[in-house]
């Protein structure tokens, strides 16, 4: 039992770190675009797009969710990650919307529709 608890904690910690990296990328895209660092923002768009492909190939779930499921019968929205339940429940909708909006803002900046960076 102790090994399963330790393994679940390790998976949850890793999943939380991976989530934080991708959430940080999503939040950085419009900030970088606003600062005129369009190439760097585009790299982050590609990084997150890679994660989207991984999720799509895994039926919308992070592969770490399946790993965490081996160690618990709990299936709450945050059983596999250290996030508040409300955030885990709405994570894809919230960060998906922010990602699309950030990409749109980057595209508008790239096209010059919003003038020069601040």
């Amino acid at each position: 039992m102790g090994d399963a608890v330790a393994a679940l904690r390790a998976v949850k910690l890793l999943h939380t770190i991976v989530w934080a990296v991708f959430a940080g990328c999503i939040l950085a895209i419009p900030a970088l675009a606003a600062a005129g660092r369009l190439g760097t923002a585009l790299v982050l768009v590609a990084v997150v797009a890679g994660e989207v492909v991984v999720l799509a190939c895994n039926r919308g779930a992070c592969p770490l969710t399946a790993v965490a499921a081996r160690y618990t019968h709990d299936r709450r929205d945050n059983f596999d990650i250290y996030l508040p339940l409300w955030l885990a429940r709405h994570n894809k909708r919230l960060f998906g919307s922010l990602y699309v909006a950030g990409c749109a803002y980057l595209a508008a900046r790239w096209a010059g529709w919003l003038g020069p960076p601040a």
Side-chain angles (χ1 to χ4, degrees), residues 4-96:
V5 171
L8 180 60
R9 286 182 181 152
V11 173
K12 286 176 77 163
L13 180 60
L14 176 61
H15 195 179
T16 304
I17 291 167
V18 170
W19 174 88
V21 168
F22 285 111
C25 288
I26 290 168
L27 295 175
I29 290 166
L32 289 166
R37 296 182 58 196
L38 306 182
T40 305
L42 189 59
V43 168
L44 295 185
V45 166
V47 167
V48 175
E51 173 65 2
V52 170
V53 168
V54 168
L55 293 173
C57 290
N58 202 40
R59 297 182 183 147
C62 177
L64 292 172
T65 298
V67 176
R70 297 179 201 160
Y71 302 108
T72 182
H73 294 292
D74 184 0
R75 291 299 180 267
R76 288 176 288 179
D77 290 322
N78 65 346
F79 85 91
D80 59 338
I81 193 166
Y82 289 117
L83 292 179
L85 186 58
W86 68 269
L87 182 54
R89 182 169 292 144
H90 302 289
N91 180 51
K92 289 179 198 155
R93 184 178 13 229
L94 174 64
F95 282 92

